[in-house]
């Protein structure tokens, strides 16, 4: 009898489908068929096939059909397999097979084999886990003996653990394809049940490398964390792949506690459960590969790949990085008895089979690599260390010998390239493998060093085990004029501020509170001593609603302002914790419209930190929880929102403190780049010692051909003398009268720039003015920008003062509120207020609108309860001829007397000119006359 012969039954005609079955061990077969006429074919490897046609099958009848197959003539292929580069036979089990046939044979202990094969061409494969798979094609001639020897190449013994089978999500076919393309032999261990058997770790130790596929889960979810911990402790080599491994096994969910193999052995720190992109770049062994983990012929199963970082740099490094910088893979290998890779995404999702194979090949090569015998790593603060002039500062450099398999190393240190006095704690020492040593580099900052001056010292670290010395640079600097405090949380937004300052050319230092993703400890908050090194501070809190400015930070900021500091705070949630906080008063806040968020903003042109820009829409990188603060009477509004509500305030103190503050109750990072640059430029200028300066051109609405006078007043309200430079571009619409220029102001006709270089002492006021003529053909209504740029060179700070003239434009500068009768209003009683819109005689007609903003506590008639938010209203729309006055009346009602109340009028012309007038109202308390007699 012939076992495993193939019987194929094919119906005649177009109906029905072929039926195929095989013979059993006794050579028998059977097939249940519908009544019809069939063709039956019997075939078997090594035998000539037989076909019987026109076999009729009748209902209820059994048709017997026997075959006798004649063997084909055969030849013999035999030989010996040895392991290169020796002549010794393989010591691990090796199988030789004839592909696409049932013929297989295990090599003898001597490495020999002999196969009797039918005539024809056959492909032979030699496969054994621990050797690369090799194949050869042979042509067998009947009656002949063919010798075919094999040279096997040693390969790592591989096992693929398929955790996906446990939840019907196996992707083992991708792993098989990748390993087969690389010529690896391997075993597959599917996981069907948990817990794993007690000997699972021992089973893994039979292999050189473990490939663990967890497409939707993690080892910790099935209780395999201790298995991997034991495996790594025994020196294992592991590649662990899965989009949720870091999420689950780091303790990121309630399902499983943190797993020691991941957190301790692999030093993985979990960041998030959904990477911002599906594109990654390789580092270390995978440099410079770029992969995509979506689409094409990959598994395309990455719904929530993790992002990670290194929890212990003494053990691990990042090997994959998502576009944008988040970690997507990690390798643990530094002075560890094991080597391990974690792909925080599923390897099976790499979009092309070629790239999957390339990544897998590099991963296996890296895992089986021997530990290094040499290696030195340097660790020190990469950012410049900052010290005051005359101070001494110490850089700490950690030198570590990472050549785990090497001998004692001798390290020699030298320095070069520095200008400031530099001292080393030692210049030579011995260091054993996997130990470290600390080098202290002391820098003496010269007492005469200026603002933002720096020096660098280049360290040369020579090693007896390294052919080339290592070098690193230590930066030391004096404080810049500006400190940028990065206090965001959850959403990193520092790029917006860094790019703005860089575009403006402003020198700055950065302090990161590291609250983004970290628990609140307070240990990273900027110190009072650090703050007082800087005359200017820009502080932003981003989306932080948890604790945007801590109590300790508030105390530091109050102390900073008390000493005359200048602060810009951008925080949409600072006032969420109450406008009565002491710092809120320094920021100019009286009360807050807590739930009135800002979606559009415009500058207030009357203030130097405001300007003539907007309205523009804000683009929030996170939920909009901004506020609308009402200013104290002494504070000023510099930005308004979509309802004309205050959105940013400027506050200042008087002598001797002279502190200044700017508070944006919306995030500056929500402002488009170009406008944010303008806002920060104006704000820093106003906060600077020259911020009380002024720049104007009058008249601001000249007739064509008229003479205008430009006046620049430089005021220094700082504590020291400051050199400064002034540059003013003369617009093409103005013809400068060079005879009117002061002697120290120069003009360059080719560039049309006025320049003035000087210095100004503390408390000094310098005034310069000149004249120009508006060209005769200037178009009526034309807007002419005539800005001036001022720079403080020693601070690396420049800023701009704006002014605009409108050719024959209207001039409502004399408009004003008329105080109510008696100078105050009463609670609960309607009060009539009058606004005089005065258009100057020089200029054109005004055509536009007047909008009102009433702060909380003040309302228009008809309100039935005390307004907790401010109120907006359009008061008027119309025209006013030159030299005419138009009186507008508005009736308001005060609902409280606890604070002064304010009403704002904003005039906007059709051409875009704006003016503002605010009226503070004293409110008399409600009067009751006693005795009061009541009767039920």
């Amino acid at each position: 009898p012939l076992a495993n012969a193939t019987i194929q039954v094919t119906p005649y005609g177009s109906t029905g489908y072929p039926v195929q079955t095989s013979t059993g061990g006794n050579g028998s077969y059977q097939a249940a068929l519908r009544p019809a006429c069939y063709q039956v074919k019997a075939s078997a490897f090594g035998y000539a096939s037989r076909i019987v046609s026109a076999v009729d099958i009748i209902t209820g009848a059994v048709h017997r059909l026997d075959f006798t197959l004649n063997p084909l003539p055969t030849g013999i292929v035999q030989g010996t397999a040895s392991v290169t580069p020796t002549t010794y036979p393989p010591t691990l089990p090796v199988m030789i097979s004839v592909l696409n046939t049932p013929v297989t044979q295990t090599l003898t202990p001597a490495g020999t084999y002999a196969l009797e094969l039918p005539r024809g061409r056959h492909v032979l494969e030699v496969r054994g886990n621990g050797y690369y798979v090799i194949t050869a094609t042979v042509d067998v001639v009947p009656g002949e003996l063919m010798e075919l020897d094999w040279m096997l190449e040693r390969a790592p013994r591989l096992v693929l653990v398929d955790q996906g089978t446990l939840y019907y999500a196996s992707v083992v076919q991708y792993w098989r394809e990748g390993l087969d393309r690389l010529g690896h032999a391997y075993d597959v261990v599917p996981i069907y049940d948990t817990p794993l058997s007690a000997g699972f770790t021992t089973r893994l130790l039979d292999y050189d490398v473990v490939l663990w596929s967890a497409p939707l889960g993690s080892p910790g979810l099935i209780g395999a964390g201790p298995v991997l911990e034991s495996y790594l402790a025994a020196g294992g080599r592991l590649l662990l792949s899965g989009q949720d491994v870091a999420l689950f096994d780091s303790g990121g969910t309630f399902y499983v506690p943190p797993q020691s193999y991941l957190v301790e052995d692999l030093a993985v720190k979990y960041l998030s459960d959904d990477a911002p992109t599906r594109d990654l770049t390789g580092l270390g062994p995978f440099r410079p590969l770029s992969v995509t983990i979506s689409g094409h012929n990959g598994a395309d199963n990455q719904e929530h790949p993790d992002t990670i970082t290194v929890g212990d740099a003494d053990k691990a490094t990042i090997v994959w990085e998502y576009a944008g910088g988040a970690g997507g893979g990690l390798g643990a290998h530094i002075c560890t008895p094991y080597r391990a890779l974690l792909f925080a995404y599923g390897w099976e999702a790499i979009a092309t089979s070629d790239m999957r194979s390339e990544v897998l090949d590099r991963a296996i090569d890296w895992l089986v690599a021997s530990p290094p015998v040499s290696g030195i790593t340097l660790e020190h603060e990469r950012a410049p260390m900052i010290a005051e002039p005359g101070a001494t500062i110490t850089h700490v450099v950690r030198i570590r010998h990472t050549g785990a398999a090497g001998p004692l190393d001798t390290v020699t240190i030298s320095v070069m390239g520095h200008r400031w006095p530099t001292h080393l704690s030692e210049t030579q020492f011995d260091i054993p493998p996997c130990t470290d040593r600390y080098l202290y580099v002391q820098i003496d900052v010269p007492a005469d060093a200026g603002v933002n001056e720096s020096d660098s010292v280049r360290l040369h670290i020579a090693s007896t085990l390294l052919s080339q010395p290592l070098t690193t640079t230590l930066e030391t600097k004096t404080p810049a004029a500006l400190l940028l405090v990065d206090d965001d949380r959850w959403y990193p937004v520092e790029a917006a501020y860094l790019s703005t300052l860089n575009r403006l050319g402003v020198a700055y230092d950065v302090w990161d509170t590291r609250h983004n993703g970290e628990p609140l400890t307070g240990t990273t908050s900027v110190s009072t001593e650090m703050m007082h090194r800087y005359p200017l501070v820009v502080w932003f809190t981003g989306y932080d609603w948890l604790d945007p400015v801590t109590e300790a930070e508030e105390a530091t900021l109050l102390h900073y302002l008390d000493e005359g500091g200048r602060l810009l705070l951008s925080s949409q949630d600072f006032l969420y914790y109450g406008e009565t906080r002491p710092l809120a008063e320094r920021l100019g806040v009286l009360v807050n419209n807590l739930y009135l968020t800002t979606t559009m903003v415009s500058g207030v042109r009357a203030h130097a930190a405001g300007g003539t820009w907007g309205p523009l829409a804000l683009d929030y990188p996170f939920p909009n929880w901004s506020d609308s603060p009402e200013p104290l009477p002494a504070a000023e509004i510099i930005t308004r929102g979509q309802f004309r509500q205050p959105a940013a305030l400027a506050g200042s103190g008087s002598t001797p403190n002279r502190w200044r503050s700017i508070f944006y109750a919306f995030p500056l990072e929500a402002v488009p780049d170009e406008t944010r640059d303008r806002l920060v430029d104006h704000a820093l200028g106003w906060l600077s010692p020259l911020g009380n300066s002024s720049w104007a051109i009058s008249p601001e609405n000249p007739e064509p051909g008229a003479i205008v006078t430009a006046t620049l007043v430089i005021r220094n309200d700082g504590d020291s003398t400051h050199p400064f430079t002034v540059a003013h571009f003369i617009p093409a619409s103005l013809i400068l009268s060079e005879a009117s220029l002061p002697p120290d102001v120069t003009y360059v006709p080719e560039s049309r720039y006025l320049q003035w270089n000087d210095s100004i002492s503390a408390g000094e006021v310098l005034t310069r003015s000149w004249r120009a003529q508006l060209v005769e053909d200037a178009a009526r209504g034309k807007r002419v920008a005539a800005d001036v740029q001022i720079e403080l060179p020693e601070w690396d700070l420049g800023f701009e003062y704006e002014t605009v003239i409108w050719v024959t434009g209207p001039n409502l500068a004399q408009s004003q509120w008329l105080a109510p009768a008696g100078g105050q209003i009463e609670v609960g009683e309607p009060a009539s207020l009058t606004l005089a819109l005065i258009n100057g005689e020089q200029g054109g007609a005004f055509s536009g609108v007047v909008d009102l903003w009433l702060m909380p506590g003040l309302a228009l008639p008809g309100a039935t309860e005390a307004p907790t938010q401010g109120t907006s209203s359009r008061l008027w729309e119309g025209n006013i001829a030159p030299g005419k006055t138009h009186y507008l009346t508005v009736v308001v009602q005060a609902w409280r007397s606890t604070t002064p109340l304010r009403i704002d009028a904003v005039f906007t012309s059709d051409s875009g000119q704006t003016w503002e007038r605010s009226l503070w109202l004293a409110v008399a308390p409600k009067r009751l006359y006693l005795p009061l007699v009541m009767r039920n």
Side-chain angles (χ1 to χ4, degrees):
L2 185 59
N4 295 319
T6 299
I7 307 298
Q8 183 173 329
V9 183
T10 305
Y12 280 116
S14 59
T15 60
Y17 297 93
V19 174
Q20 185 166 297
T21 186
S22 300
T23 59
N26 60 357
S28 65
Y29 73 94
Q30 68 175 16
L33 304 172
R34 297 169 60 89
C37 185
Y38 294 90
Q39 174 180 282
V40 184
K41 177 182 179 181
S43 58
F45 178 73
Y47 294 85
S49 299
R50 291 285 304 277
I51 296 177
V52 177
S53 300
V55 177
D56 293 316
I57 301 299
I58 302 172
T59 302
V62 175
H63 187 98
R64 182 179 182 90
L65 180 60
D66 295 331
F67 290 91
T68 299
L69 303 184
N70 296 321
L72 297 171
T74 63
I76 295 177
V77 180
Q78 68 178 22
T80 303
S82 56
V83 179
T84 184
T86 72
T87 57
Y88 298 113
T91 57
L92 299 172
V94 174
M95 185 79 68
I96 185 167
S97 306
V98 181
L99 297 184
N100 302 314
T101 77
V103 178
T104 61
Q105 187 178 107
T106 301
L107 298 185
T108 67
T112 61
Y113 72 97
L115 300 174
E116 184 178 0
L117 300 175
R119 68 185 176 201
R121 177 164 292 183
H122 303 280
V123 179
L124 277 60
E125 176 190 84
V126 176
R127 175 185 293 265
N129 202 343
Y131 307 98
Y132 285 105
V133 177
I134 52 178
T135 60
T137 300
V138 296
D139 290 311
V140 174
V141 177
E144 291 189 6
L145 177 65
M146 174 182 289
E147 292 284 344
L148 179 61
D149 295 333
W150 305 82
M151 296 297 294
L152 298 176
E153 183 181 351
R154 189 73 171 87
R157 290 169 295 169
L158 305 178
V159 61
L160 171 59
V161 179
D162 182 13
Q163 188 177 328
T165 55
L166 187 63
Y167 33 79
Y168 308 103
S170 174
V171 291
V172 71
Q173 69 272 24
Y174 294 96
W175 293 87
R176 287 185 180 276
E177 177 199 34
L179 292 170
D180 290 343
R181 284 168 63 100
L182 296 173
H184 279 291
Y186 53 91
D187 295 332
V188 178
V189 178
I191 297 177
Y192 293 108
D193 299 299
T194 59
L196 301 180
S197 64
F200 203 85
T201 301
T202 304
R203 185 177 180 185
L204 295 182
L205 289 173
D206 288 337
Y207 298 91
D208 298 316
V209 174
V210 172
L211 309 171
W212 193 299
S213 170
L216 292 179
S218 73
L221 274 176
I222 62 172
V227 170
L228 291 182
E229 185 178 358
S230 299
Y231 173 71
L232 293 173
R237 308 298 173 103
L238 171 69
L239 167 56
L240 175 56
S241 162
Q243 63 176 319
D244 285 321
V245 171
L247 166 68
F248 290 123
D249 287 3
S250 67
T253 68
F254 295 109
Y255 303 117
V256 60
Q259 301 293 295
S260 181
Y261 87 88
L262 186 87
V263 178
E264 299 297 331
D265 297 336
L266 270 65
V268 171
K269 182 178 179 181
Y270 166 75
L271 294 180
S272 73
D273 185 37
D274 192 5
T277 177
R278 297 300 182 265
D279 298 315
L280 297 101
T281 301
L283 304 175
F286 303 106
R287 189 184 301 274
L289 301 181
S290 295
V291 301
T292 297
I293 53 173
S294 64
H296 299 282
N297 70 351
D300 200 18
N301 60 346
Q302 301 302 288
E303 295 186 7
H304 299 287
D306 295 335
T307 65
I308 60 172
T309 189
V310 173
D312 183 355
D314 281 354
K315 291 181 180 177
T317 56
I318 292 294
V319 297
W320 288 107
E321 192 173 74
Y322 292 102
L330 173 149
H333 62 104
I334 305 174
C335 287
T336 58
Y338 50 84
R339 281 197 164 214
L341 288 168
L342 170 70
F343 290 0
Y345 61 92
W347 168 88
E348 68 277 1
I350 294 176
T352 65
S353 55
D354 287 344
M355 186 57 71
R356 284 196 300 274
S357 298
E358 177 70 18
V359 170
L360 188 58
D361 190 31
R362 292 191 184 203
I364 294 172
D365 286 348
W366 184 86
L367 287 170
V368 299
S370 300
V373 297
S374 64
I376 295 290
T377 60
L378 305 176
E379 180 183 338
H380 61 84
E381 180 62 51
R382 297 294 172 177
M385 295 194 72
I386 302 168
E388 297 279 7
T392 296
I393 198 165
T394 301
H395 293 263
V396 180
V397 181
R398 181 184 183 226
I399 301 175
R400 189 173 183 224
H401 182 356
T402 57
L408 187 78
D409 197 356
T410 300
V411 173
T412 304
I413 303 105
S414 58
V415 295
M416 61 183 65
H418 56 285
R419 295 179 291 108
W420 296 349
T422 302
H423 316 280
L424 298 178
S425 58
E426 52 188 330
T427 58
Q428 189 177 77
F429 51 79
D430 293 332
I431 183 170
C434 295
T435 62
D436 54 23
R437 190 79 170 256
Y438 288 90
L439 175 71
Y440 301 93
V441 183
Q442 182 177 292
I443 311 292
D444 298 330
V445 182
D448 60 352
V451 176
N452 201 43
E453 284 198 28
S454 63
D455 187 33
S456 60
V457 56
R458 192 167 182 81
L459 286 185
H460 237 251
I461 296 93
S463 157
T464 56
L465 298 180
L466 296 177
S467 59
Q468 296 293 327
L470 297 179
T471 60
T472 191
T473 301
L474 306 178
E475 299 281 348
T476 308
K477 67 183 296 292
T478 58
L482 172 66
L483 177 65
L484 180 66
V485 179
D486 178 356
D487 194 22
D488 53 23
R489 192 191 304 270
W490 298 307
Y491 289 82
V493 297
E494 61 273 9
Y497 295 87
L498 298 175
S499 60
T500 284
L501 293 174
N502 291 335
R503 284 192 294 267
L504 294 176
V506 176
Y508 59 91
D509 297 327
V510 178
W511 182 275
D512 191 347
T513 64
R514 304 187 189 278
H515 285 167
N516 193 8
E518 298 288 344
L520 265 179
T521 62
T523 56
T524 55
S525 293
V526 60
S527 67
T528 301
E529 185 274 333
M530 174 65 75
M531 287 275 290
H532 284 293
R533 296 178 180 180
Y534 297 89
L536 301 174
V537 171
V538 174
W539 191 307
F540 61 91
T541 66
Y543 182 60
D544 186 3
W545 51 261
L546 177 64
D547 205 350
V549 178
T550 68
E551 290 185 7
E553 290 168 344
E554 182 169 11
T556 298
L557 286 170
L558 287 170
H559 193 273
Y560 173 72
L561 292 173
D562 283 343
E563 296 298 317
R566 310 292 175 98
L567 169 68
L568 185 158
L569 175 64
S570 171
S571 178
Q572 72 167 10
D573 268 315
F574 170 72
L575 294 178
Y576 178 73
Y577 295 92
E579 65 264 22
T580 59
R581 298 174 65 173
L583 182 58
E585 182 269 333
R586 296 300 184 87
L587 298 174
V589 179
L590 176 63
V591 295
N592 183 35
N593 298 282
L594 182 62
Y595 298 107
L596 179 59
T597 58
T598 300
T599 58
M600 299 187 71
V601 288
S602 301
V604 174
R605 75 161 182 158
H607 197 281
T612 55
W613 54 268
L616 58 88
L618 297 177
D619 182 14
Y620 286 78
F622 38 69
N624 177 4
W625 290 351
S626 61
D627 295 328
S628 300
E630 299 290 348
L632 288 163
E636 298 175 90
I637 301 169
I638 62 174
T639 301
R640 291 188 180 273
Q642 68 274 20
F643 302 116
R644 302 297 189 182
Q645 79 274 20
L649 307 178
S652 58
S654 58
T655 304
N657 291 335
R658 298 193 301 276
W659 56 267
R660 287 188 183 175
S661 67
I662 288 180
F663 172 48
Y664 289 96
F666 60 90
L668 277 178
E669 56 268 29
V671 180
D673 288 353
E674 183 178 352
T675 305
R676 183 174 62 251
D677 294 353
R678 192 173 180 183
L679 265 65
V680 172
D681 175 273
H682 293 178
L684 295 181
W686 185 77
L687 292 172
S688 77
L690 306 188
N692 201 27
S693 302
S694 62
W695 163 244
I697 295 181
S698 63
E700 66 175 19
N701 55 342
E703 295 284 341
I707 301 297
V708 297
T709 301
T711 303
L712 176 61
V713 180
I714 303 292
R715 298 180 178 90
N716 181 3
D717 64 0
D719 298 324
S720 59
T721 298
H722 290 286
F724 67 89
T725 65
V726 173
H728 169 54
F729 177 75
I730 304 296
S733 299
L734 294 177
I735 302 171
L736 176 68
S737 171
E738 296 189 46
S740 68
L741 289 177
D744 52 359
V745 178
T746 61
Y747 178 58
V748 182
E750 293 79 12
S751 63
R752 299 185 63 83
Y753 265 100
L754 290 181
Q755 295 177 340
W756 177 24
N757 301 327
D758 208 337
S759 63
I760 183 168
S761 57
E764 188 178 3
V765 178
L766 300 176
T767 301
R768 299 291 186 271
S769 63
W770 52 88
R771 294 187 300 277
Q773 183 181 21
L774 185 63
V775 295
E776 294 285 352
D777 60 351
R780 292 179 177 271
K782 180 179 181 180
R783 180 184 187 275
V784 179
D787 304 332
V788 67
Q789 289 82 37
I790 301 175
E791 289 191 9
L792 292 169
E794 61 176 347
W795 282 17
D796 293 317
L797 175 66
F799 52 92
E800 182 179 75
Y801 273 98
E802 290 185 4
T803 194
V804 175
I805 60 177
W806 298 81
V807 180
T808 63
N811 186 356
L812 271 65
Q814 301 304 313
S815 300
Q816 59 182 318
W817 286 100
L818 303 181
Q824 64 180 5
I825 62 177
E826 294 187 6
V827 172
E829 298 296 330
S832 181
L833 306 177
T834 301
L835 175 65
L837 294 178
I838 304 171
N839 191 7
E841 293 184 1
Q842 302 297 322
F846 172 83
S847 176
V849 298
V850 176
D851 293 317
L852 296 179
W853 173 258
L854 289 73
M855 68 173 286
L858 190 65
L860 299 173
T864 58
E865 59 183 17
T868 58
Q869 302 289 345
T871 305
S872 64
S873 176
R874 174 146 295 177
L875 177 62
W876 175 82
E877 181 173 358
N879 300 282
I880 305 173
K884 300 296 182 180
T885 300
H886 189 76
Y887 294 95
L888 301 175
T889 300
V890 57
V891 177
V892 298
Q893 182 177 340
W895 284 78
R896 66 185 184 198
S897 60
T898 53
T899 60
L901 300 178
R902 190 192 77 260
I903 182 171
D904 301 331
V906 180
F907 328 141
T908 306
S909 73
D910 293 343
S911 58
Q913 291 175 269
T914 61
W915 297 264
E916 294 191 13
R917 293 295 179 267
S918 296
L919 177 65
W920 285 95
L921 297 169
V923 183
K926 183 73 173 179
R927 289 175 291 180
L928 292 176
Y929 295 91
L930 299 179
L932 178 65
V933 179
M934 302 183 68
R935 181 173 180 177
N936 187 358

